[in-house]
Amino acid sequence: MNSYIGASGTFEVMRNLNLDKIYKLILLNQPISRAKLATISGSNKVTVSNCVDYLLKKGIVRGLGAVGSGKGRPATLLSINGDSGVLVGIEMNIPFIRVVVTSLSGVMLENIILSDIEIAPEVFIQQITETINMLKEQYKTCKLGIVGIGCAFPNYNHQTGVIESIQNMPKWNKFPILQEMEKYMLGIPLFIQSTIQAATMGEIHFGKASPFEQLVYISGTWGISASMYSNGNLVSGQHGFAGRIGHFIIEVNGRQCTCGSKGCLEEYASIRALFHKLYPGQSQHYKYIEEILDRARKRDPIVIESLHEIVQYLAIGVVNVINAFNPSCICIGGNLGSIIEASLMLEEIKTIVSQSLPKRYWESLNIYCSSLGELGVAYGCIAVVRDQLLSILGDKPVIK
Ligand SMILES: [Zn+2]
């Protein structure tokens, strides 16, 4: 992840590090007092106060008034100053493009769906440019206007700025999306992430995961992928494609996978596997997601029986993830997470995990389904921009 630190001196780097840390702690724990900030940051009270005073002066943070009735001076709670600007998040997906706008504090202001399926990259950029122009006009009275744009694409390689591939959409293969989009974003800072990494950031900023966890986020969609968040950073691997757990081989000479291998996890435990069981011979699975969710909620026996097999394989994937990464928290997101939650089948996964590993490996582990539903990725796009707010504003802090 990029850092806004541009200073060469160690002293200034330390000041910037403190400021960044305090900003992110307010962001993720708001409303919060200076005393609590000092406790959870491990910084002394003078450093915390200097950082807070700077953020207040810049209008990034605001005080919510005094609270507390105990001894001593009442504490002032601090939060992000939501009204000073807006953030835009864009999720490129099939069969839609979602554009959300939030305040700096993350309150949803717009949730726009643009069509269409199988869109070409040039048309996508044109549609987004028109939307950004419209939003820029709409929010021009905000002090900071549109502060930044976060965007998520499947199989985006953040090391090269290129989309490696999108299934059945060859026009996107190796498309230099970062370079092409930056030409049209009117100078507004642009941050692009892979869909799975955006979803993970969304869970940290807007979901139930804590920023202090060793989180593995498993996204169950047409395929399965995962992303790990550790010590405040996403772990992406040498070439940026860590987390391809959908291609864990769980059956020798098993079903043929789209990756060319056989017996991959996602052939048994993804929405793709579930869809082929429930609607054999059908295509355009996205038209059926709401129906499957509804049937899962009603515990339709056919859906539950199909899910039973899916969940057993997914649990094996979860066990492999635990053995590989030793996380403190596993979140199952995407459509599969919503369906497992709706059908009350998460307990089955936990049972298989507990039967497959010694107790010390799972007793303090939190396994849950994301509650962000279809907005998880878009929220993640917002989170990525919020994470970089100080960098975007480009200030050289004067904290002493
Ligand atoms: Zn595979």
Side-chain angles (χ1 to χ4, degrees):
M1 199 173 291
N2 296 328
S3 167
Y4 77 100
I5 297 167
S8 55
T10 306
F11 184 62
E12 198 167 348
V13 168
M14 280 308 295
R15 288 184 311 197
N16 290 356
L17 276 172
N18 282 329
L19 188 63
D20 197 44
K21 181 163 70 175
I22 297 302
Y23 161 69
K24 286 177 181 169
L25 286 173
I26 296 172
L27 186 63
L28 295 169
N29 298 278
Q30 58 182 314
I32 186 169
S33 67
R34 291 177 194 232
K36 185 81 188 290
L37 275 173
T39 304
I40 62 176
S41 67
S43 304
N44 67 53
K45 288 181 180 172
V46 174
T47 301
V48 169
S49 266
N50 285 339
C51 292
V52 168
D53 288 345
Y54 174 82
L55 294 169
L56 285 166
K57 190 176 163 192
K58 297 302 288 184
I60 297 168
V61 161
R62 68 180 169 195
L64 297 178
V67 294
S69 55
K71 289 179 183 174
R73 210 169 52 155
T76 299
L77 292 180
L78 303 158
S79 76
I80 298 300
N81 186 2
D83 301 333
S84 54
V86 297
L87 309 168
V88 177
I90 302 166
E91 177 191 5
M92 190 275 172
N93 206 328
I94 302 169
F96 62 83
I97 301 157
R98 184 187 301 278
V99 180
V100 300
V101 181
T102 75
S103 68
L104 288 193
S105 53
V107 174
M108 180 76 78
L109 304 171
E110 316 271 352
N111 180 8
I112 304 164
I113 300 291
L114 306 173
S115 56
D116 199 358
I117 56 170
E118 298 179 18
I119 193 172
E122 295 78 12
V123 181
F124 168 85
I125 291 173
Q126 186 190 341
Q127 281 200 17
I128 292 300
T129 304
E130 287 167 10
T131 307
I132 295 297
N133 269 310
M134 183 263 292
L135 293 172
K136 194 174 181 190
E137 180 66 20
Q138 191 173 332
Y139 291 99
K140 67 182 179 187
T141 56
C142 272
K143 183 181 172 188
L144 300 172
I146 299 177
V147 175
I149 301 166
C151 212
F153 294 91
N155 296 321
Y156 174 72
N157 186 331
H158 77 276
Q159 293 178 352
T160 58
V162 164
I163 292 174
E164 297 293 347
S165 65
I166 299 181
Q167 199 171 10
N168 299 326
M169 296 171 72
K171 288 178 184 168
W172 287 86
N173 290 357
K174 297 288 178 189
F175 187 79
I177 189 69
L178 180 62
Q179 182 190 323
E180 291 303 310
M181 275 190 80
E182 278 185 331
K183 293 178 188 169
Y184 299 97
M185 292 301 107
L186 309 169
I188 302 168
L190 173 69
F191 300 84
I192 302 184
Q193 294 264 313
S194 68
T195 303
I196 176 66
Q197 293 194 331
T200 307
M201 290 299 289
E203 194 58 36
I204 292 286
H205 279 247
F206 294 94
K208 290 184 276 189
S210 149
F212 306 107
E213 312 227 53
Q214 305 273 330
L215 168 73
V216 173
Y217 181 95
I218 297 175
S219 177
T221 55
W222 192 240
I224 294 179
S225 55
S227 175
M228 186 169 184
Y229 180 92
S230 174
N231 297 323
N233 290 303
L234 291 165
V235 179
S236 54
Q238 183 188 183
H239 298 299
F241 57 77
R244 296 177 74 247
I245 70 162
H247 303 284
F248 280 175
I249 295 173
I250 55 163
E251 289 277 4
V252 176
N253 289 324
R255 296 175 191 161
Q256 181 69 49
C257 180
T258 53
C259 73
S261 189
K262 285 182 178 176
C264 294
L265 176 67
E266 66 179 43
E267 290 300 321
Y268 299 84
S270 61
I271 288 289
R272 175 161 90 234
L274 180 62
F275 178 70
H276 288 326
K277 271 180 167 295
L278 293 175
Y279 302 95
Q282 297 289 329
S283 58
Q284 298 187 311
H285 71 284
Y286 43 84
K287 291 184 177 174
Y288 298 86
I289 293 296
E290 279 305 315
E291 186 177 304
I292 298 173
L293 251 176
D294 191 47
R295 290 174 68 184
R297 254 182 232 113
K298 292 171 180 162
R299 291 191 58 84
D300 174 330
I302 296 170
V303 170
I304 295 300
E305 189 188 330
S306 300
L307 270 174
H308 184 66
E309 185 185 313
I310 300 282
V311 156
Q312 285 192 57
Y313 279 108
L314 185 62
I316 292 170
V318 168
V319 168
N320 290 343
V321 162
I322 296 167
N323 280 326
F325 299 110
N326 183 27
S328 61
C329 180
I330 292 180
C331 174
I332 303 170
N335 292 325
L336 190 58
S338 301
I339 290 168
I340 289 170
E341 177 88 338
S343 60
L344 309 175
M345 296 192 74
L346 183 62
E347 285 309 310
E348 242 179 81
I349 294 179
K350 290 182 179 177
T351 301
I352 293 170
V353 167
S354 68
Q355 290 167 349
S356 308
L357 291 166
K359 192 174 180 182
R360 66 182 184 278
Y361 295 131
W362 55 261
E363 64 182 342
S364 62
L365 175 68
N366 179 21
I367 304 176
Y368 71 97
C369 295
S370 175
S371 56
L372 296 178
E374 61 179 15
L375 289 174
V377 175
Y379 270 130
C381 296
I382 296 293
V384 170
V385 184
R386 285 209 314 181
D387 218 40
Q388 298 295 319
L389 189 63
L390 294 184
S391 158
I392 292 170
L393 296 178
D395 293 303
K396 293 282 185 268
V398 287
I399 306 299
K400 291 180 182 171

